[in-house]
Amino acid sequence: MKRNIVIATVAAAALIGGGTATAFAVGGDDDGAAGTSSVQLKDNARDNDSDDARDDDSDNAHDDADDAAENTAEAKAAKVTAPDAIKAALAHTKGTAVSAELDDEDGGLVWDVDVLKGSTWHSVEVDPGTGKVLGSWVDKDDDGDDAADAARVNSALKGASVSAADAARAGAGKGTVTSVDLDDDGKAVAWNVETTGAKGAESEYNVDLKTGKVTPDHDDRDHDDHDGQDDDGSDD
């Protein structure tokens, strides 16, 4: 798995020891051997030829419908919750869980949990059907910045009383949690939690590192609204 870390320096006086901190979003693709998941989903890929025959509005509507169907299928198929997946990963690999994501890979649906132990990153895959650890490996950054990345994450989490599992439990009241990671909401360091609703709609929330308070991630929604525009506000 290749670990992609998005780094942003933010003011976090209220959260991290009265100073500044750096926020991270950790995720990536499978790069190591792992067992086969007990949860296998059907291929929902659409026919590209029929896509070309649709107009933009119709195509977007079908994309949204397909995404919602996929989200619903993954959320329903995962019998193991995010907190339980994190617990299983930490029982296998001691350290601090920095992210957990429900991901449909070649070997089936898995919980992909990133664990930081000292300055070493570990990727642990957990079966969402059984809670069994399917595999784990040391995950090295191609740029060789693992130690620096680890130091920044440890600094961001210093003094935090809410863990990734705690954040996932807090977000569960909003829907089925499919992802949790350490992220920047534009104002302060927080846990970012993604949920899927009953009809497949995705929502994002921030969970305070100290209080566990859950708030909507408005910044992410605003960012998505402008993804198709240049800096001057015009379309590409």
Side-chain angles (χ1 to χ4, degrees), residues 5-224:
I5 299 184
V6 180
I7 304 174
T9 302
V10 295
L15 298 178
I16 311 293
T20 58
T22 305
F24 296 82
V26 180
D29 300 321
D30 189 1
D31 187 36
T36 301
S37 172
S38 67
V39 182
Q40 302 291 323
L41 300 179
K42 293 181 179 180
D43 185 5
N44 291 321
R46 294 180 295 115
D47 188 338
N48 289 330
D49 292 337
S50 62
D51 287 347
D52 294 339
R54 303 187 185 112
D55 59 31
D56 289 342
D57 289 340
S58 176
D59 191 46
N60 289 336
H62 279 276
D63 285 344
D64 292 342
D66 285 345
D67 288 344
E70 182 178 356
N71 296 338
T72 300
E74 291 180 358
K76 287 184 176 180
K79 306 305 180 185
V80 176
T81 64
D84 288 339
I86 292 171
K87 181 179 179 180
L90 292 178
H92 180 276
T93 303
K94 303 299 182 183
T96 300
V98 179
S99 73
E101 181 179 9
L102 191 60
D103 193 14
D104 189 10
E105 300 183 350
D106 291 340
L109 194 66
V110 299
W111 278 108
D112 191 352
V113 183
D114 283 324
V115 177
L116 178 59
K117 183 178 182 180
S119 60
T120 303
W121 296 89
H122 299 262
S123 181
V124 184
E125 289 193 351
V126 178
D127 190 316
T130 65
K132 177 182 177 181
V133 172
L134 298 171
S136 66
W137 52 89
V138 173
D139 183 17
K140 294 185 177 181
D141 188 358
D142 292 339
D143 295 333
D145 295 333
D146 300 280
D149 293 340
R152 294 188 183 99
V153 168
N154 288 325
S155 176
L157 289 176
K158 185 178 181 180
S161 55
V162 177
S163 67
D166 294 333
R169 279 187 284 268
K174 304 296 185 178
T176 301
V177 174
T178 56
S179 174
V180 56
D181 61 30
L182 192 61
D183 204 356
D184 168 26
D185 68 357
K187 296 179 181 179
V189 179
W191 290 109
N192 177 267
V193 176
E194 294 185 6
T195 67
T196 295
K199 296 183 179 180
E202 287 187 314
S203 300
E204 293 194 30
Y205 299 90
N206 293 314
V207 180
D208 191 285
L209 292 175
K210 281 194 176 277
T211 67
K213 182 180 179 180
V214 180
T215 56
D217 186 356
H218 294 302
D219 288 343
D220 181 81
R221 183 179 62 190
D222 293 341
H223 173 75
D224 289 343

